Amino acid sequence: MTDILVVDDQISFCDHIKVILETEGYEVDSANEVDSALKMLSQKKYEILLTDYRLGPIDGIELFKKARQLDDDISGVMMTAYASIDSAIQSIKDGFNDYIQKPFEPDILLISIKRIIRERKMAQEIRLLRKEVIERYSFHNIVGKHKLMQNVFELINKVSGHDARVMITGETGVGKELVAKAIHYNSRRKDFPFVGINCAGLTESLLESELFGYEKGAFTGADKTKKGKFEYADGGTLFLDEVGDISSTMQIKLLRVLQENKFERVGGNKTIDANVRIISATNQELDEKIKKGDFRVELYYRLNIFPIKIPALRDRIEDIPILTNHFINKFNKKYKKSVEGVSTKVMKAMMHHSWPGNVRELENLIEREFVTIENNKIEHIDLSGTFIHNTNKSIYDVDVDLPFKIAKSLVVNRFEKAYLKKLLKGCMGNVNEAARKSKINPRTLWRKIQAFNLELKEFSSDE
């Protein structure tokens, strides 16, 4: 129900307006003088103030200003028989939503009120959506108690209040975009767009068109003018993911924008201001690319003003339990389940997994279990679908599409599993004998056996 306050020094006019609006189902109060109106505004929340321009001691514009001091969300409609362009412009400048000249037909008033209600509803939805987005990307959604993550939080907090360009580094799946959004939604640009683009896999011409946009007729198929990411992000943040994959030609073009804060659309001559904050991310070692001449050092220094390195999950295994609980809570809501946690055996296995896919791998693994779980606790976990337990690969098979450290860890883990299986088979499942023979600490050996989900009964006989 919409509450409306009508203010006019003519009692008969107020009564007339009140009847029109109440017939349409609105809740309407009226006042014939400023003091009464202010008292009513202080005692009750109104969505719309419908006021005459000339009220006596103060005019309708001053009344609306005072109403806004009491409630900055109230909407206003100015009514006056003294219509002029100047007063109309002034009322709009002072925050009124509409301006109606007396005398007016009831339909004119109703159309104005209905439009304002639609605008208020849309504004409320936008506020709720923005609040939801800000809460989603606040610090508490980047989970981690390890000192390495606490350092990341501290860096996010420091840089969010400034416009310095940020370079986020870390392996695939550590949450680089989540950190970028946390910086944006905790900055003064949070009410403006966050626009992201993955630079990997895009051809040079396509990336240029996506970043800068293009004019109609710029190339075959350009049948209309199109804005680019820089324009869509105006006032906000542009997130360049996998920036290390940008071609040398595009590096030069991007460098020019960073130096001059200006650009032109493809096929255009008009210079456009680039009022955006740049946050970039990469999982590559840019130092090595610079040495090879594949990445321009001046672009690197333009982008890497404030570096943030996100640690791999295997470097903060203490965070696995709280991350697991975080994702369980998330998927309980998504799938409308009431999973309470994971068993001790499952947690041990996860604590000894190397997580080449990092937090994203853990999240996907938990969600996969939610699809098939039938009770309120995850008692088993299938790590066979992860990189490490791919039995179709030989020990020394490598995937050069992965970063060196991850590829190396996969080979090491495949080797360890193969070594332990052969060792335990030779010792008929006797862990103490296997530890003595391999010179591995028994406690370490037990941890590795649990991590690889090896069942000792499989090695207890020669059958």
Side-chain angles (χ1 to χ4, degrees):
M1 185 67 67
T2 301
D3 289 302
I4 301 173
L5 177 61
V6 180
V7 184
D8 195 289
D9 56 5
Q10 296 182 30
I11 297 175
S12 60
F13 182 77
C14 279
D15 292 341
H16 177 61
I17 297 300
K18 189 173 180 181
V19 170
I20 293 172
L21 294 176
E22 285 180 339
T23 302
E24 294 296 318
Y26 300 116
E27 290 285 337
V28 185
D29 294 324
S30 62
N32 306 119
E33 56 183 24
V34 172
D35 289 342
S36 298
L38 288 173
K39 184 177 180 180
M40 297 171 75
L41 287 164
S42 66
Q43 294 176 343
K44 181 178 178 180
K45 180 177 176 60
Y46 294 94
E47 281 73 36
I48 302 174
L49 172 62
L50 191 62
T51 179
D52 189 31
Y53 178 67
R54 294 196 174 184
L55 296 173
I58 67 173
D59 60 27
I61 291 177
E62 289 301 316
L63 174 61
F64 186 61
K65 287 180 179 178
K66 291 180 180 294
R68 276 283 174 91
Q69 290 173 359
L70 295 169
D71 179 6
D72 61 4
D73 189 43
I74 193 169
S75 301
V77 178
M78 175 66 74
M79 307 179 295
T80 181
Y82 305 93
S84 70
I85 296 298
D86 290 341
S87 59
I89 292 174
Q90 187 58 48
S91 66
I92 299 301
K93 282 183 177 179
D94 288 317
F96 279 86
N97 300 77
D98 206 353
Y99 184 96
I100 303 176
Q101 181 179 351
K102 293 180 179 179
F104 50 79
E105 294 294 327
D107 285 348
I108 299 297
L109 174 62
L110 293 175
I111 289 171
S112 176
I113 295 297
K114 289 177 181 178
R115 180 180 60 79
I116 291 172
I117 292 172
R118 286 197 303 270
E119 290 174 351
R120 289 178 61 83
K121 184 178 180 181
M122 186 179 298
Q124 176 67 8
E125 289 174 351
I126 291 171
R127 282 195 296 269
L128 291 174
L129 181 59
R130 181 176 291 124
K131 181 181 178 182
E132 181 182 330
V133 169
I134 290 173
E135 288 178 351
R136 181 179 179 185
Y137 295 111
S138 61
F139 293 151
H140 75 268
N141 281 308
I142 306 177
V143 179
K145 291 186 177 179
H146 191 280
K147 62 181 180 180
L148 292 174
M149 286 306 296
Q150 292 302 311
N151 182 55
V152 170
F153 298 151
E154 185 178 345
L155 293 174
I156 293 173
N157 190 46
K158 285 181 178 179
V159 79
S160 293
H162 304 278
D163 255 1
R165 297 185 190 116
V166 181
M167 170 78 78
I168 304 171
T169 56
E171 296 176 2
T172 298
V174 294
K176 295 187 286 295
E177 184 170 354
L178 191 62
V179 169
K181 288 181 176 178
I183 294 171
H184 171 76
Y185 288 110
N186 286 278
S187 75
R188 65 179 181 82
R189 293 179 179 264
K190 63 179 180 295
D191 294 328
F192 295 91
F194 176 95
V195 178
I197 181 170
N198 192 318
C199 302
L202 295 180
T203 63
E204 184 178 296
S205 59
L206 182 56
L207 180 58
E208 182 179 15
S209 297
E210 285 294 311
L211 286 176
F212 306 129
Y214 54 80
E215 296 289 349
K216 180 179 180 180
F219 49 82
T220 303
D223 54 355
K224 61 181 179 180
T225 297
K226 179 179 179 296
K227 290 183 178 180
K229 302 296 186 183
F230 271 98
E231 287 182 82
Y232 283 118
D234 186 48
T237 300
L238 178 60
F239 177 55
L240 303 176
D241 198 10
E242 303 305 342
V243 72
D245 289 313
I246 294 178
S247 69
S248 57
T249 301
M250 275 303 299
Q251 288 177 37
I252 296 172
K253 293 179 179 180
L254 180 58
L255 181 61
R256 177 184 169 242
V257 180
L258 300 183
Q259 290 171 335
E260 302 176 6
N261 291 319
K262 298 178 184 297
F263 67 95
E264 293 88 33
R265 296 186 188 128
V266 177
N269 296 315
K270 180 184 176 182
T271 299
I272 303 170
D273 291 330
N275 177 24
V276 298
R277 180 192 196 160
I278 301 291
I279 299 179
S280 54
T282 181
N283 62 5
Q284 302 184 45
E285 298 292 342
L286 291 187
D287 289 346
E288 293 299 318
K289 297 200 73 168
I290 289 171
K291 291 177 182 177
K292 295 178 181 177
D294 295 332
F295 201 87
R296 300 182 70 88
V297 65
E298 59 268 44
L299 176 59
Y300 175 78
Y301 286 121
R302 287 278 182 178
L303 293 171
N304 194 33
I305 293 174
F306 195 94
I308 296 179
K309 181 176 178 59
I310 306 177
L313 184 54
R314 63 179 169 276
D315 294 330
R316 53 181 184 111
I317 57 173
E318 296 93 329
D319 285 342
I320 291 175
I322 59 174
L323 280 164
T324 300
N325 288 334
H326 172 76
F327 291 130
I328 286 175
N329 291 333
K330 175 180 176 179
F331 295 126
N332 272 332
K333 293 177 182 177
K334 179 177 179 179
Y335 292 103
K336 294 179 173 55
K337 293 188 177 183
S338 55
V339 176
E340 297 175 357
V342 302
S343 67
T344 302
K345 179 181 178 181
V346 168
M347 182 56 68
K348 284 183 178 180
M350 293 198 300
M351 292 289 282
H352 290 91
H353 186 52
S354 65
W355 301 106
N358 290 291
V359 178
R360 187 183 301 147
E361 180 187 355
L362 174 59
E363 181 178 8
N364 292 343
L365 182 64
I366 297 296
E367 184 169 16
R368 187 166 70 236
E369 296 303 319
F370 260 76
V371 174
T372 58
I373 194 169
E374 296 180 353
N375 51 36
N376 63 350
K377 180 172 280 192
I378 299 176
E379 301 283 355
H380 305 281
I381 198 158
D382 181 16
L383 295 172
S384 62
T386 64
F387 299 122
I388 290 177
H389 299 280
N390 187 343
T391 55
N392 293 326
K393 287 191 174 185
S394 69
I395 292 176
Y396 296 108
D397 278 345
V398 295
D399 186 348
V400 295
D401 290 329
L402 293 172
F404 173 77
K405 290 182 180 179
I406 294 179
K408 180 181 177 182
S409 71
L410 300 184
V411 172
V412 170
N413 277 277
R414 286 198 295 269
F415 163 76
E416 286 190 1
K417 184 176 182 180
Y419 179 90
L420 292 179
K421 289 177 74 172
K422 193 166 186 177
L423 173 67
L424 290 168
K425 184 176 182 179
C427 297
M428 300 183 66
N430 187 318
V431 177
N432 289 331
E433 175 64 18
R436 184 195 62 77
K437 185 175 181 180
S438 64
K439 294 183 172 56
I440 299 175
N441 183 287
R443 295 173 66 181
T444 301
L445 182 57
W446 271 112
R447 286 200 300 270
K448 290 182 179 294
I449 290 170
Q450 291 171 338
F452 291 118
N453 289 328
L454 300 178
E455 296 289 344
L456 293 178
K457 61 183 179 181
E458 296 178 10
F459 310 104
S460 58
S461 69
D462 288 329
E463 293 179 7

